Amino acid sequence: MTSRNSTRGNGDLRVGVIGAGVMGSNHARVLAQLPGVKLAGVVDPLAESRSRITGFVDCPTFATVDELLAAGVDAVTIAAPTHLHRDVSLACIAHGAHVLVEKPIATTGAEGREIIDAARKKGVTLMVGHVERFNPAVATIKEAIRGEEILSVAITRVGPFPPRMSNVGVVIDLAVHDIDLIRWFTGSDIVEVQPQLTSAVAEREDIALLQFRTASGVLAHINTNWLTPFKARTATIATRNKYIQGDLLTRQVTECFGFQRDGSYSMRHLPVGHDEPLRAELMAFIKAIKTGSAPAITGEAGVASLEIAIKCLETRPKPVAAPQPHAASN
């Protein structure tokens, strides 16, 4: 059995990918190009998915997780459907493999904590794939608010209905990204949630307007849906001294400051890097493994964001019955 500290003779870290969908395929593409990494293989139960992977990366493919583990890996990235995260993560951790599991970490907080406990006992690195944190525009915003007193955060994440059908709605699929960003931007836990959800065309909620208050007193708002004909990803943060606007797709960040009594102010565009977020995320995972340092997004952070998302679903207001017309009085 390959131990968690073993590598190939050339020193490369052997990393496998579990799940060959859109995200898993991107994991495989990036890992195949990372220095010091050997793509050990990709797992998917569907033969057509395995065949598609071999069309653009040179690596073995496997029908089961057990086959990948038997072939020998030091680490895995898990991009399988969310309901499989717990069992797949536990199997890989038991094998001694370091794990990066895509968001959300699991279907419930309890499952997420099982994964955390198993990784801690085995002494392996566990990281959660909240890739938006590695968006260069997000990193620029984070730096711009450093040391500032944050007053409010507003994030919009909208787009068309996804081509892939899922067993979750927009809160778990999309808003969990921004719940994580709110907690990261503010450095504070979310203590109050006020969700407004509806299902316009989908079985599960496809529109969500979510309001939050953090322990530090920051007010935050998320607007997300699957009904907009185009993708939009924006974040605006008001601090005591600044107002920052960021477009997470075009990666443009603007900072307004120097507010005067006459209504005038100064504005500047902040420099933003060009790194691919997924590449930066996977490099951070590899660095945490090799240095033994804490991963950028811990299992605990992943569970905290998941549980806030679940709380939004559990505390949705009950629909109010439409008032009945009264008979005209004589």
Side-chain angles (χ1 to χ4, degrees):
M1 179 180 293
T2 303
S3 75
R4 61 181 178 273
N5 296 316
S6 65
T7 56
R8 291 168 61 86
N10 60 6
D12 288 347
L13 196 74
R14 291 177 54 86
V15 184
V17 176
I18 299 170
V22 174
M23 184 57 73
S25 297
N26 282 323
H27 278 232
R29 170 183 58 81
V30 173
L31 286 167
Q33 300 170 355
L34 287 185
V37 171
K38 172 67 175 178
L39 181 58
V42 178
V43 176
D44 200 282
L46 299 178
E48 55 267 35
S49 296
R50 298 196 300 273
S51 177
R52 180 171 48 79
I53 284 288
T54 58
F56 63 90
V57 292
D58 181 18
C59 72
T61 61
F62 306 95
T64 69
V65 173
D66 287 343
E67 291 174 356
L68 171 69
L69 297 178
V73 292
D74 304 303
V76 298
T77 68
I78 300 173
T82 302
H83 70 275
L84 300 176
H85 284 187
R86 172 192 174 274
D87 290 348
V88 172
S89 295
L90 293 179
C92 294
I93 290 168
H95 178 83
H98 305 281
V99 169
L100 184 150
V101 56
E102 274 296 337
K103 66 84 191 166
I105 185 173
T107 57
T108 67
E111 288 186 356
R113 282 186 285 273
E114 277 190 77
I115 298 170
I116 293 169
D117 290 343
R120 183 182 297 114
K121 290 175 181 176
K122 197 69 173 180
V124 298
T125 296
L126 170 65
M127 179 167 159
V128 183
H130 281 281
V131 71
E132 196 71 279
R133 281 212 212 173
F134 296 88
N135 184 320
V138 168
T140 295
I141 294 170
K142 177 71 170 176
E143 183 60 31
I145 62 177
R146 187 181 302 277
E148 291 285 322
E149 180 187 353
I150 301 172
L151 303 177
S152 68
V153 179
I155 301 177
T156 295
R157 185 179 299 270
V158 297
F161 196 82
R164 54 181 175 79
M165 294 302 293
S166 175
N167 61 351
V168 298
V170 291
V171 171
I172 298 296
D173 191 52
L174 297 182
V176 73
H177 278 295
D178 304 312
I179 292 169
D180 177 71
L181 289 185
I182 289 167
R183 297 181 66 255
W184 189 54
F185 282 150
T186 64
S188 182
D189 289 328
I190 292 170
V191 295
E192 294 181 26
V193 303
Q194 294 180 340
Q196 295 291 338
L197 312 173
T198 191
S199 303
V201 298
E203 181 180 348
R204 296 180 182 268
E205 84 283 351
D206 49 23
I207 303 174
L209 300 176
L210 311 175
Q211 295 187 80
F212 308 97
R213 184 187 296 271
T214 71
S216 59
V218 177
L219 300 181
H221 173 87
I222 296 173
N223 170 23
T224 188
N225 69 54
W226 279 332
L227 302 178
T228 307
F230 55 86
K231 282 188 175 183
R233 308 280 189 268
T234 61
T236 58
I237 299 182
T239 77
R240 187 68 65 182
N241 302 306
K242 299 178 180 180
Y243 185 75
I244 298 150
Q245 297 175 297
D247 188 314
L248 308 187
L249 292 180
T250 64
R251 299 182 184 176
Q252 295 177 313
V253 179
T254 303
E255 179 182 78
C256 302
F257 60 98
F259 308 115
Q260 303 298 320
R261 290 181 179 272
D262 62 4
S264 63
Y265 59 90
S266 299
M267 183 176 70
R268 62 187 173 195
H269 297 289
L270 301 180
V272 178
H274 300 285
D275 291 346
E276 179 184 0
L278 181 58
R279 185 176 191 275
E281 178 183 69
L282 291 173
M283 288 181 67
F285 176 50
I286 299 304
K287 180 180 178 181
I289 294 171
K290 291 187 174 182
T291 64
S293 57
I297 299 100
T298 63
E300 289 82 359
V303 166
S305 294
L306 170 62
E307 290 189 325
I308 292 298
I310 291 172
K311 189 173 182 180
C312 288
L313 296 174
E314 292 176 344
T315 60
R316 71 179 79 186
K318 294 181 180 179
V320 178
Q324 297 298 315
H326 295 289
S329 59
N330 294 326

